[in-house]
Amino acid sequence: MWGTFTAARYRLPLNSKWDCGHREESEAGSLRGVANFTESSIVIDAPSFKVLSVIADLASYPEWSQGISSVEILEAGEDSRPLRARFRIESGPIRDTYELAYSWRGDYGVSWQLTQGEVVTAMDGSYALTPTGDSTAVQYRLAVDVKIPMLGVIKRKAEQIIIDTALQGLKERVESGAAG
């Protein structure tokens, strides 16, 4: 069953509560120090620890996350959660290998930032989990930039598709019991 999505776009100042480190001026001319995030949320019928275990199992992303063809964990923390990972994406005109650095927020979220990429030049995002009884509200924020010239409105639409597809895949993975 498809979940209910809520969506919004934000321009956040640096060092705000949701700043994920996007600090470089994009080739499209974004203001330095302001992150343009696209956001959606969904409710998943599972406790937050199950949702977070699927989010933290990066190696299984190619099984359920559309466009990701491979993931290699480069570094893990003492709790076995990934700190750095390399992804291979093949989605439409975007084909790239990029690396992300992760910052875990206890059992209630994670943020990431691009550390290396060829086509993808910026990728800052976060999942924030809020327990709601037997379910979990998952909020996903994302800002992406690529070398390919793209109008802002098209880039935001692409971000929205990425987010909505990822949230639906996450929901299906967790609720199916196939969680890692």
Side-chain angles (χ1 to χ4, degrees), residues 33-49:
V34 176
N36 293 308
F37 285 88
T38 302
E39 172 188 81
S40 282
S41 62
I42 195 168
V43 175
I44 297 177
D45 293 327
S48 60
F49 75 90

Side-chain angles (χ1 to χ4, degrees), residues 7-177:
R9 284 185 295 151
Y10 296 93
R11 291 178 63 79
L12 301 173
L14 286 179
N15 302 318
S16 72
K17 177 178 169 183
W18 295 104
D19 171 30
C20 293
H22 184 80
R23 288 169 175 66
E24 297 298 318
E25 183 172 345
S26 74
E27 291 179 22
S30 320
L31 296 175
R32 182 176 298 281
V34 176
N36 293 308
F37 285 88
T38 302
E39 172 188 81
S40 282
S41 62
I42 195 168
V43 175
I44 297 177
D45 293 327
S48 60
F49 75 90
K50 286 187 178 180
V51 176
L52 193 64
S53 72
V54 172
I55 291 169
D57 185 11
L58 300 182
S60 73
Y61 277 31
E63 297 172 19
W64 62 269
S65 188
Q66 188 176 4
I68 297 176
S69 58
S70 68
V71 179
E72 177 186 358
I73 307 304
L74 302 174
E75 181 183 353
E78 291 179 14
D79 58 3
S80 299
R81 289 180 179 163
L83 297 176
R84 290 186 324 110
R86 179 178 299 125
F87 291 77
R88 176 72 187 156
I89 188 168
E90 297 177 14
S91 181
I94 308 295
R95 299 188 188 292
D96 197 9
T97 299
Y98 60 89
E99 294 180 14
L100 299 176
Y102 288 85
S103 177
W104 296 89
R105 296 181 180 139
D107 291 331
Y108 297 100
V110 61
S111 62
W112 58 89
Q113 182 175 18
L114 182 79
T115 58
Q116 185 176 5
E118 290 293 320
V119 177
V120 178
T121 58
M123 183 185 293
D124 300 333
S126 66
Y127 280 112
L129 282 59
T130 305
T132 57
D134 293 337
S135 299
T136 303
V138 180
Q139 193 169 45
Y140 185 177
R141 289 185 168 99
L142 184 66
V144 177
D145 210 352
V146 293
K147 280 187 178 177
I148 301 166
M150 195 177 297
L151 294 174
V153 68
I154 295 171
K155 185 171 23 170
R156 296 286 92 72
K157 180 66 175 170
E159 287 174 353
Q160 195 66 57
I161 291 169
I162 291 167
I163 290 171
D164 290 345
T165 302
L167 284 173
Q168 189 58 45
L170 177 63
K171 179 179 177 68
E172 290 172 6
R173 180 78 173 185
V174 173
E175 291 180 356
S176 74

